[in-house]
Every structure is written in C-alpha cells, then in structure tokens.
Amino acid sequence: MADFDDLLTEGASVPTDGWDFSWFEGRATEQRPSWGYARLLGDRMARSRAALDVQTGGGEVLATVHRAPPLLAATEAWPPNVAIARRTLAPLGGKVVQVGEGDGLPFRDGAFDLVVSRHPVVTRWDEVRRVLRPGGVYLSQQVGAATVRELAEFLREGRPEDRPTGPAGPADPLATRSGSTPLATVAAAEAAGLEVTGLRQEALRMEFHDIAAVVHFLRKVIWIVPGFTVEEYRDRLAVLHRFMERHGPFVAHSQRHLIEARRPDHG
C-alpha cells in the first residue's frame, strides 16, 4: 500500500486556500452547469454601478469579469482567503472585507444594485435584501442538497454514531446553509421580502481518479463530511483506493441551483 500512503500524504498536504481548483486537473472532473455562472456574472457586473460579492473565496471567479462596476466590494470569512482576494481583486478596484459567514453585512442599507454569491456557505437573506437598493438584484449559484452524497455515504457507511453528512440548517428562518434544497432557498428568499425571478437546477457528474483527489476535495469542501480527517477515515479510504485501481474513477454527482431574486421597487 506504499502508493496509497503516498497519495494520502499528497492529498493531505496540498494547500486549501482560495477557490482555485486547478490542482485537480487530470485527477478529478466536475461537469459545469449549463447556465454558465461566470458568463452571467460578467454580464450583470458590466451593467452594475455598485456590486457586492458575498463569500468571494480568493476572488478567483469575480476576477474573471471583463468590466467591473465603479463600486465593487466583496466579503470573505477565512483570513488566508481574505489576503488572496485582496491581491486578486486589486486590479478591478475591489475592496475586500473580512466578515463571518453567518454575520451581518457591514454596509449601509441600499448600498448596492447587485449582490452575487457563488456557493455561499450561509445565505443571510435578510441582509441581502437590506443592502440591495429597491429594484436591485441578487444572483447566486447555490450548492444543493445531496451534493456528492455517493462519496459521503460510502465513507460514513457503518458509522451510525457519526454526525449527519450535511450541515444542520441555521436557526434563523431568513438564512439557509450550503446543501439546501431549491424549495428551501426560494422559501427563505421570499420570507425575506425578495421576489424570485428565476430558478434553475441541475445534477452534475463528478469523477475522482485517485485517492489524493478525494482527500484534498474533502479538506477543501469541508461541509461534505464535517470533521473529516485522513486518520479517522483511513480504512474506508483504503477500500475506495482499491476500487479505483481496479475499476476506474469513483463517480458521484453535485447538485446546483441558480437563483435570481429582486428587491421590490416599493420596499
């Protein structure tokens, strides 16, 4: 199992800062949603005067826009990502503020005509509505319930004492967590006083080609198996490693939904 040990070490040592997934090239693949979030983001940003990207990660996706609005702000919770995002977004004139994932947004009421978020861990719908101007738009690609369920259920098989695979929902009825259903997302947006103007959802094929990719993915996307460590799951990882050596990639599916919501002109 020397190769197995080497792969575990590699997967456990790759830095998880930012939302750059280029390390996975040749080792894991994920089908992209047909709507093209980056393209939609660029279109909305080009028509905006003041925009906010919530939970920007390292700013990698926002940095792809061809034309930034005159006022561009972003929030991020994790300190290493904040530093990366500040460097990444500086050429666009973007200002990055460190804000906890479930915290209020440190901006005045009605400050933005556009708020966006790709894969937010927590969506504070009340805060999104507050910082939007009347007529302003929220665009978000959300991680749906049952994302990578095949991998999470395999790793936790036979471990009934463990916590549930998905994060628990927040107590705040005007917030949703990553892993929510489209129904819950729409209900929370409407409860906060937003008008949902668009909703799309898709299941997307994922392939993991080696165990290092699995380990790095679970360290980077921490809500798939909360509390994941190589040591705790080593036996199950060994079974998965043997499977991929004999039968090819492990296949799972991600769930994504795209929501567009608008603050009413009168509110």
Side-chain angles (χ1 to χ4, degrees), residues 129 132-136 192-195 262-267:
R129 182 189 183 283
L132 278 173
R133 297 171 184 167
L194 295 171
E195 297 176 350
R262 177 178 176 275
R263 178 172 174 174
D265 292 325
H266 55 77

Side-chain angles (χ1 to χ4, degrees), residues 20 25 30 32 38 45 62 85 102 105 169 175 192 194 214 219 227 239:
D20 179 3
E25 185 173 351
E30 180 179 359
R32 297 302 180 190
M45 286 284 171
L62 183 56
L105 298 172
L194 295 171
V214 172
R219 292 176 54 239
V239 174

Side-chain angles (χ1 to χ4, degrees), residues 192-215:
L194 295 171
E195 297 176 350
V196 176
T197 57
L199 180 72
R200 299 176 66 179
Q201 52 190 308
E202 291 182 356
L204 306 160
R205 182 183 175 93
M206 301 178 69
E207 293 186 358
F208 295 92
H209 293 265
D210 66 43
I211 205 66
V214 172
V215 169

